[in-house]
Amino acid sequence: MKFRTTSAAVLTAVPLVLAGCAQGTGPGAQQPEPKPQAAAPSPEGVAWVGKLCGVVGGFTAAQQNQPGPDKSNTSAFKQSVVNQIDHSARAADDTLRGLQEMGPGPIQGSDQLNDSFEQGFVQVRDILRTAQDKAQQADPSDKQRFQAGMTEVQHELDKGKQLNMNGAIAQFNQNPQLNAAAQQAQECKMFSQAPQQPQGQQPPQGQQPPQ
């Protein structure tokens, strides 16, 4: 599977990863090479992988139905951008805590997989917090400076396109037992279809402050 990002890369990267891993294909994914037939996963293995999907799925769910940015004036726009990024960063923190509380996995390679996702969410959280700081510093009383500040926010969020989740993808693809457990875990079925980008998500992405 080849990892590709979307225009809202920071918020959708991990769901796209799991969508591809659970099904063997995904947006921009290459057809996987044939894998050895895995033994039926244990109930403990299915439960662990399901919990992992549930933790990551909680981050995805937290991004749904966020309101669009308030473009009535520059001050309102700034505050709505700050609030939305803060909401996403808090969700990344919650996901990190969930991953840290997973406990040892019963399938060989599961702990390394958890570590890879944890490292990825640290990057997601850090990008969002830096973008939030830049948004807070934008001066809504000066149109030119405000536009420049929002451009800096956009540039920070664009770093999400370079997030490297290939380690986690490889661990899923190369471990038949993890794949088999994901196919049986009810919590992983949410990733059977690629998630759609929520309306109003990532306010600076492709949007301009009020004129």
Side-chain angles (χ1 to χ4, degrees), residues 74 77-78 138-140 142-150 209-210:
T74 53
F77 183 86
K78 170 184 173 176
D139 183 2
D142 184 302
K143 180 179 177 180
Q144 186 172 4
R145 292 175 62 186
F146 186 65
Q147 291 279 355
M150 287 296 105

Side-chain angles (χ1 to χ4, degrees), residues 111-131:
D111 294 340
Q112 293 87 341
L113 174 66
N114 189 31
D115 289 343
S116 293
F117 277 119
E118 186 176 331
Q119 292 168 16
F121 271 103
V122 167
Q123 295 178 71
V124 169
R125 187 269 317 278
D126 289 349
I127 285 173
L128 289 166
R129 286 302 183 196
T130 302

Side-chain angles (χ1 to χ4, degrees), residues 23-94:
Q23 296 299 308
T25 59
Q30 296 176 336
Q31 290 295 326
E33 297 179 0
K35 302 181 182 66
Q37 185 67 35
S42 67
E44 294 80 10
V46 173
W48 190 93
V49 173
K51 184 177 179 181
L52 178 71
C53 286
V55 169
V56 174
F59 177 78
T60 306
Q63 312 315 312
Q64 305 300 317
N65 302 320
Q66 284 207 65
D70 185 344
K71 303 179 77 170
S72 57
N73 57 67
T74 53
S75 293
F77 183 86
K78 170 184 173 176
Q79 191 58 51
S80 64
V81 167
V82 168
N83 290 345
Q84 288 195 29
I85 297 176
D86 179 65
H87 177 83
S88 297
R90 288 175 183 271
D93 278 329
D94 289 343

